[in-house]
Amino acid sequence: MKSNVGGFDRIARIVVGLVLIVLAVTNVIGWWGWLGLIPLITGLVGFCPLYTMLGLKSCPLKKRP
């Protein structure tokens, strides 16, 4: 499994995921806030299955010497 989620994308996913989970725990938003687990996990792991299906990649390409 190759990484397909880049730096800024990873940080944004982690922040959005944590915010949604905190809002769900504090009952500010409904149960759907627990969907924040999806961006949180994909941000922590650095891999997004949806990106693979769509052929997207937000991480920089590695240059070969």
Side-chain angles (χ1 to χ4, degrees), residues 12-42:
R13 287 171 184 258
I14 292 169
V15 169
V16 167
L18 288 173
V19 168
L20 285 173
I21 292 168
V22 167
L23 291 174
V25 168
T26 57
N27 289 323
V28 174
I29 58 176
W31 62 268
W32 62 271
W34 289 103
L35 292 175
L37 285 171
I38 296 169
L40 177 63
I41 292 169
T42 59

